Amino acid sequence: MLETRTWWCRSLLLLRARPCLASSCRGGSSRDKDRSVSVSSSVSMPPGGKGSRTNCAQPTPQKVTNRLISEKSPYLLQHAYNPVDWYPWGQEAFDKARKENKPIFLSVGYSTCHWCHMMEEESFRNEEIGRLLNEDFVSIKVDREERPDVDKVYMTFVQATSSGGGWPMSVWLTPNLQPFVGGTYFPPEDGLTRVGFRTVLLRIRDQWKQNKNVLLENSQRVTTALLARSEISTGDRQLPPSAATMNSRCFQQLDEGYDEEYGGFAEAPKFPTPVILSFLFSYWLSHRLTQDGSRAQQMALHTLKMMANGGVRDHIGQGFHRYSTDRQWHVPHFEKMLYDQGQLAVAYSQAFQISGDEFYIDVAKGVLQYVARNLSHRSGGFYSAEDADSPPERSAPPKEGAFYVWTTKEVQQLLPEPVLGATEPLTSGQLLMKHYGLTEAGNISPGQDPKGELQGQNVLTVRYSLELTAARFGLEVEVVRTLLNTGLEKLFQARKRRPKPHLDSKMLAAWNGLMVSGYAVTGAVLGMERLVNYATNGAKFLKRHMFDVGSSRLMRACYAGSGGTVEHSNPPCWGFLEDYAFVVRGLLDLYEASLESAWLEWALRLQDTQDRLFWDARGGGYFCSEAELGAGLPLRLKDDQDGAEPSANSVSAHNLLRLYGFTGHKDWIDKCVCLLTAFSERMRRVPVALPEMVRALSAHQQTLKQIVICGDPQAKDTKALVQCVHSIYIPNKVLILADGDPSSFLSRQLPFLSTLRRLEDRATAYVCENQACSMPITEPSELRKLLHH
């Protein structure tokens, strides 16, 4: 790492970049505090807050398209009318760079990224900048959500050689795809304390012509350093570390960073990070009788409640925004991502299992309602995201949050009805404004709005309990509940008339897998077949549109076409490790919710494909991408951080354990141990970076429960036992239906199932651990006692 930093100092001198402040990108970073961490360009960058954007000359309207017009990605299509001669990632661009001996300018982003929009408007529409790029560089545009492998490799470089990472990501490569300069958002022109994009291009162009050999040598040196730094393998280790030790360290690190007042684990910005909440729930379960166990439960439940009451949740249309820009969960970055919705539905469902408080399950149902309404394709798949930006009114330029914010005047006009029985004159609008903290001056502080775009506007955030609001105006709690719900519905109907945010209608296998889990787990907890059906339709969509039967491979992405059709890129974009890991998890959750073994069979088939394409037989664990798909990239990585999404290796560790529980095949458990051993050093050093993997380590060392229900799946007594299991928080279990058919898939996998009998012809449950099963149980109350014990 020292070698990398030393080289970077030389590179900065070569570019003669003037010193400046680090940038903050509203797009953020993909890993830890994801999509919105502090980012810094290797060639000094400006503060990237809204107040620091630089205006540039208005671009000439473009009627000519570039080659991105033939792409399917919504992000690439947003750049199809730029004067930049963009190439998609591929051999044509690489060959051109080698033939003409030009550096590659790689720009990576995604279609709902606020600062990606800004760089497109300010720089990539600019004729002069377009001419510079076209004359001296080969420009490649990548949708990070289509090609996470490309994104991870070059983000690793940017993060290692600057003070952060984020999107848009801007990296300059040699024709052999090795990076030598990297950054994120650049304003078009120089400011007093910052270097503009045009200046950076000119300096890199000059250095390429005058000092190319030095750049190439240094690029090779930093790539070698990154290879050594990113290697993850078992080495000489035979076994993974102690789960008890890793659990304790991870909990202590989270405890130290916990915000006692508002929940969460940072000052600002604050992210939902469901992997942390999931870890805390698991930690509570195994430490229930200790002070630390109670503390873990309190931290998770309090965080979930504060998030749900804050402005990071959309109280009108439901669902969660990407993150909060402040400590209080008040003013969000308004983008909504599918992967957040899927994971948060599970987190709130688990909170309900643990606490019994219906507040949490109501939030989960609201999340799923939002996804069904706004992010669902009619064939069963789920779209990727909704943008943060939208026009405040028709034909106006987009502004962040315009779709979601309110003035008190608007609310009063929509809700003028007097509230009968109040102790003072009161309208429905005034009641709602009091409860949700709306003020005439607006409740968004200038610190959250340096550009002044949200002046006088309000974000709804729950300021008081229903009981306090009712007491304040001398009303019954149920009266207040009804009035607020009616008011929110009227605001919802009014908001439908506003220009909508851009929808990223790309459908990704990985994120669809997370959403299948969201519907399956919540549907199972509630015993709601309608929700399980959404999960089933999502899985059917994946099998119909994103699975190649001949090769047993998943596709990464497909796209909403006209008239409700589904389109694919040509050639297809094949799946990455996270696609397989998240889809397998979704299918296992769906089997437990529906007890249809076809989903379990498909999960095993996908796991076999995952092992064939991604397993590292030498070092252990899974690579993020296929060797063939990533040919030419300077690094082949194993993702080693649970961030906004869990690491695919962490999820795979859980999947392997569960598959072993469903099949008894020892090779699954052997692979799991090897994977956990490969990540031992990372877990030992920073367990809080891998809370989901620490959870898998605990599940492995504590052993899984096999809960077998013998009975007719349609019979009431069978359903009662199944629902009893779903109502309890048991993260380290597999739920198996034994229907008495010796030729069934599960009976063939687990011969011991044929020895388990129904008692007196009633549905009967057995709890099995370490090759030993409990006495038969026919009463849900008895099963509940045993499972709680």
Side-chain angles (χ1 to χ4, degrees):
M1 195 56 212
L2 179 61
E3 182 181 13
T4 307
R5 291 285 184 191
T6 305
W7 171 83
W8 205 243
C9 292
R10 293 197 201 105
S11 181
L12 289 176
L13 288 171
L14 280 172
L15 286 167
R16 294 188 179 88
R18 68 187 72 161
C20 63
L21 301 172
S23 163
S24 165
C25 172
R26 296 300 282 269
S29 162
S30 72
R31 297 163 68 89
D32 188 38
K33 306 287 189 196
D34 283 26
R35 296 193 188 247
S36 177
V37 297
S38 168
V39 294
S40 180
S41 165
S42 54
V43 279
S44 305
M45 288 184 54
K50 284 191 167 185
S52 63
R53 300 208 297 249
T54 304
N55 292 323
C56 62
Q58 289 297 311
T60 306
Q62 289 300 312
K63 296 180 182 177
V64 179
T65 59
N66 57 49
R67 55 180 57 74
L68 296 185
I69 198 69
S70 302
E71 297 298 306
K72 299 292 185 187
S73 158
Y75 176 64
L76 268 56
L77 289 171
Q78 286 170 350
H79 296 74
Y81 289 86
N82 294 163
V84 179
D85 186 20
W86 289 115
Y87 283 79
W89 182 265
Q91 199 60 48
E92 184 184 4
F94 311 152
D95 289 345
K96 178 180 171 69
R98 288 168 190 148
K99 180 182 176 182
E100 299 180 9
N101 195 20
K102 289 180 178 177
I104 292 169
F105 168 61
L106 172 65
S107 177
V108 181
Y110 57 103
S111 83
T112 58
C113 161
H114 175 78
W115 287 101
C116 300
H117 299 333
M118 293 312 306
M119 198 158 175
E120 191 270 334
E121 292 169 14
E122 295 171 341
S123 292
F124 301 144
R125 292 186 198 178
N126 184 288
E127 291 283 349
E128 183 187 356
I129 287 174
R131 192 160 49 250
L132 264 173
L133 284 168
N134 297 342
E135 288 174 0
D136 297 300
F137 301 87
V138 174
S139 300
I140 298 179
K141 177 61 70 174
V142 166
D143 183 336
R144 69 164 300 266
E145 294 167 353
E146 277 190 338
R147 292 299 303 255
D149 57 333
V150 176
D151 178 62
K152 281 187 175 79
V153 164
Y154 295 111
M155 186 64 77
T156 298
F157 167 79
V158 171
Q159 289 177 324
T161 54
S162 65
S163 62
W167 299 286
M169 178 168 64
S170 306
V171 190
W172 285 262
L173 319 176
T174 70
N176 290 327
L177 307 184
Q178 293 188 331
F180 60 92
V181 169
T184 52
Y185 164 82
F186 290 89
E189 302 294 342
D190 296 350
L192 290 174
T193 58
R194 57 192 177 178
V195 178
F197 187 56
R198 190 172 66 86
T199 300
V200 172
L201 290 175
L202 291 170
R203 290 176 182 172
I204 292 175
R205 178 195 68 181
D206 293 345
Q207 289 303 319
W208 183 259
K209 290 176 180 177
Q210 297 163 19
N211 295 291
K212 184 172 67 176
N213 289 337
V214 176
L215 287 176
L216 292 174
E217 288 171 13
N218 289 335
S219 178
Q220 181 60 54
R221 191 176 299 123
V222 76
T223 301
T224 303
L226 287 174
L227 270 169
R229 178 173 175 257
S230 62
E231 186 177 7
I232 291 170
S233 69
T234 54
D236 297 330
R237 290 179 290 273
Q238 301 298 312
L239 291 170
S242 155
T245 303
M246 295 302 97
N247 258 298
S248 178
R249 284 187 194 166
C250 189
F251 170 73
Q252 292 302 329
Q253 288 177 352
L254 290 171
D255 192 23
E256 287 166 12
Y258 182 64
D259 183 339
E260 297 284 354
E261 190 173 0
Y262 296 103
F265 300 89
E267 283 296 311
K270 273 189 176 170
F271 293 77
T273 325
V275 289
I276 290 177
L277 303 170
S278 184
F279 167 81
L280 290 171
F281 283 148
S282 290
Y283 187 86
W284 160 77
L285 190 66
S286 56
H287 297 77
R288 273 178 296 180
L289 302 179
T290 69
Q291 190 174 345
D292 281 353
S294 299
R295 169 76 169 159
Q297 183 200 52
Q298 178 265 330
M299 286 160 65
L301 291 177
H302 180 57
T303 297
L304 285 166
K305 186 152 277 189
M306 297 304 290
M307 282 167 43
N309 284 334
V312 75
R313 177 183 172 207
D314 179 2
H315 294 275
I316 293 171
Q318 299 302 314
F320 281 82
H321 299 295
R322 184 62 205 92
Y323 62 86
S324 171
T325 62
D326 54 75
R327 182 187 162 209
Q328 294 84 5
W329 302 105
H330 178 193
V331 182
H333 173 47
F334 292 89
E335 175 185 26
K336 287 182 176 177
M337 308 301 300
L338 182 69
Y339 60 77
D340 282 324
Q341 316 309 323
Q343 292 179 89
L344 286 169
V346 172
Y348 279 96
S349 297
Q350 291 172 338
F352 171 65
Q353 287 176 312
I354 289 166
S355 69
D357 187 341
E358 293 200 1
F359 170 86
Y360 295 106
I361 202 67
D362 287 344
V363 176
K365 287 191 287 187
V367 167
L368 300 181
Q369 180 187 37
Y370 160 72
V371 172
R373 186 181 62 242
N374 287 52
L375 296 180
S376 292
H377 189 275
R378 68 187 189 190
S379 297
F382 302 105
Y383 302 134
S384 293
E386 283 192 303
D387 209 327
D389 299 6
S390 60
E393 53 195 37
R394 307 289 172 192
S395 304
K399 291 184 178 181
E400 185 171 1
F403 186 69
Y404 299 101
V405 294
W406 298 87
T407 64
T408 53
K409 184 179 178 182
E410 288 175 302
V411 173
Q412 287 170 326
Q413 287 175 343
L414 288 165
L415 304 173
E417 309 86 359
V419 175
L420 302 178
T423 53
E424 61 186 76
L426 182 71
T427 66
S428 295
Q430 289 168 333
L431 177 72
L432 186 140
M433 290 189 294
K434 183 71 174 178
H435 188 74
Y436 287 103
L438 279 65
T439 67
E440 195 170 332
N443 65 9
I444 301 170
S445 73
Q448 265 61 59
D449 181 32
K451 191 71 174 177
E453 290 179 333
L454 300 172
Q455 195 171 2
Q457 302 283 349
N458 291 272
V459 173
L460 270 67
T461 178
V462 175
R463 299 302 301 273
Y464 308 100
S465 66
L466 288 172
E467 289 77 11
L468 278 173
T469 299
R472 165 72 176 77
F473 297 109
L475 298 167
E476 295 294 324
V477 170
E478 285 309 310
V479 170
V480 170
R481 190 195 309 275
T482 301
L483 286 168
L484 291 175
N485 288 340
T486 302
L488 292 174
E489 176 60 26
K490 287 185 178 179
L491 295 186
F492 177 73
Q493 294 302 327
R495 201 172 76 175
K496 283 165 70 172
R497 297 191 286 272
R498 294 176 174 179
K500 289 181 173 57
H502 158 71
L503 172 70
D504 186 333
S505 58
K506 176 174 73 269
M507 289 169 276
L508 300 173
W511 297 2
N512 272 251
L514 292 174
M515 205 62 238
V516 167
S517 287
Y519 275 107
V521 170
T522 308
V525 168
L526 286 169
M528 288 182 66
E529 193 173 338
R530 181 175 61 83
L531 296 180
V532 177
N533 286 342
Y534 272 103
T536 301
N537 290 337
K540 287 178 178 176
F541 178 90
L542 283 163
K543 196 163 190 181
R544 187 183 309 120
H545 294 290
M546 305 188 78
F547 179 62
D548 181 67
V549 177
S551 65
S552 292
R553 288 165 83 194
L554 283 171
M555 295 175 196
R556 168 66 175 175
C558 62
Y559 310 86
S562 58
T565 58
V566 176
E567 298 179 348
H568 296 86
S569 56
N570 187 21
C573 185
W574 293 109
F576 297 91
L577 174 64
E578 64 182 40
D579 296 298
Y580 290 85
F582 296 177
V583 170
V584 168
R585 172 192 268 187
L587 294 174
L588 298 181
D589 289 338
L590 179 55
Y591 166 72
E592 293 195 354
S594 67
L595 300 176
E596 293 179 15
S597 62
W599 300 123
L600 193 53
E601 293 184 58
W602 190 31
L604 264 70
R605 186 176 176 185
L606 288 178
Q607 187 65 51
D608 284 334
T609 306
Q610 176 181 321
D611 292 346
R612 172 168 56 87
L613 296 176
F614 304 102
W615 181 254
D616 179 4
R618 183 182 64 83
Y622 294 96
F623 290 109
C624 293
S625 57
E626 293 182 45
E628 187 178 332
L629 191 63
L633 286 172
L635 305 171
R636 192 179 182 207
L637 299 172
K638 297 174 187 173
D639 198 6
D640 63 351
Q641 191 148 348
D642 296 321
E645 303 157 66
S647 155
N649 270 287
S650 297
V651 173
S652 294
H654 284 279
N655 290 345
L656 291 166
L657 281 172
R658 294 173 77 182
L659 288 167
Y660 171 69
F662 282 121
T663 65
H665 295 178
K666 191 172 179 297
D667 54 335
W668 298 128
I669 204 81
D670 291 343
K671 265 197 168 63
C672 178
V673 171
C674 188
L675 186 158
L676 293 169
T677 304
F679 283 85
S680 290
E681 187 58 33
R682 176 69 164 160
M683 277 194 282
R684 282 194 183 98
R685 280 191 293 112
V686 202
V688 76
L690 282 167
E692 188 73 3
M693 191 170 287
V694 172
R695 207 166 69 79
L697 179 68
S698 299
H700 162 59
Q701 295 186 4
Q702 292 168 7
T703 73
L704 243 61
K705 282 184 171 73
Q706 291 169 305
I707 303 173
V708 183
I709 310 292
C710 301
D712 175 358
Q714 301 307 318
K716 282 185 178 179
D717 54 355
T718 304
K719 289 182 177 180
L721 289 174
V722 168
Q723 196 53 43
C724 172
V725 175
H726 286 314
S727 69
I728 304 168
Y729 176 68
I730 321 167
N732 303 335
K733 63 105 172 62
V734 292
L735 173 62
I736 296 168
L737 175 73
D739 60 5
D741 179 1
S743 66
S744 70
F745 174 74
L746 276 165
S747 294
R748 297 196 310 272
Q749 301 292 322
L750 298 168
F752 83 89
L753 293 180
S754 63
T755 68
L756 303 180
R757 297 278 185 265
R758 300 187 200 186
L759 200 63
E760 299 173 354
D761 206 30
R762 298 170 64 189
T764 306
Y766 297 85
V767 179
C768 307
E769 290 182 86
N770 296 318
Q771 286 77 52
C773 293
S774 69
M775 296 294 287
I777 301 166
T778 56
E779 291 297 330
S781 59
E782 291 300 313
L783 178 59
R784 181 177 297 278
K785 279 182 192 174
L786 179 60
L787 292 174
H788 273 305
H789 177 72

